[in-house]
Amino acid sequence: VQLQASGGGLVQAGGSLRLSCAAPAHIFSTYAMAWFRQAPGKEREFVAAIIWNSNTWYGDSVKDRFTISRDNAKNTIYLHMNNLRPEDTADYYCAAGQRVGISAVRSPEAWTVWGQGTLVTVSS
């Protein structure tokens, strides 16, 4: 597993969590990176993406609540999640991809490297 996601846990509605995803240097420096999530019985859903120049994209359901960022010194991306809702409960996956077109950012098929999931549970 080349991408190591961490930071999931149990939080009450309205709370915050920060997820981390560490990548090897050769991936972090040349790939776009993203977060997806998957709840039981649902399809994998795009959450956020960031490219090397820090341009970002967000899924409609998390926009204005979640922030994706990168720390180039640590080869790590973060997902800062605020005002969490029970419907945010899911396994969260980080992903990396080369030459991901803007029109394909939200498609899981565009991302070629995946980490293991980290579970986020939001209680009401």
Side-chain angles (χ1 to χ4, degrees):
V1 177
Q2 299 192 69
L3 305 180
Q4 298 288 338
S6 61
L10 174 64
V11 63
Q12 288 188 329
S16 300
L17 275 178
R18 187 185 76 167
L19 305 183
S20 302
C21 177
H26 73 279
I27 287 180
F28 190 83
S29 62
T30 59
Y31 284 55
M33 297 191 70
W35 290 97
F36 284 77
R37 68 186 182 186
Q38 189 165 19
K42 294 189 176 181
E43 293 186 350
R44 192 161 293 191
E45 177 189 15
F46 171 75
V47 176
I50 188 167
I51 61 175
W52 65 271
N53 64 358
S54 296
N55 280 358
T56 57
W57 292 264
Y58 293 94
D60 291 340
S61 63
V62 307
K63 199 171 184 179
D64 299 328
R65 297 188 299 123
F66 292 9
T67 302
I68 188 170
S69 65
R70 60 189 294 149
D71 185 332
N72 294 332
K74 295 182 178 180
N75 295 335
T76 299
I77 64 166
Y78 301 99
L79 185 67
H80 307 262
M81 305 184 294
N82 297 318
N83 192 20
L84 283 160
R85 305 166 180 168
E87 54 265 38
D88 294 318
T89 295
D91 282 308
Y92 283 71
Y93 298 88
C94 63
Q98 285 186 311
R99 295 181 291 275
V100 178
I102 292 175
S103 62
V105 161
R106 291 170 172 78
S107 172
E109 290 73 24
W111 303 86
T112 55
V113 183
W114 290 85
Q116 86 288 359
T118 185
L119 178 63
V120 173
T121 303
V122 184
S123 62
S124 57

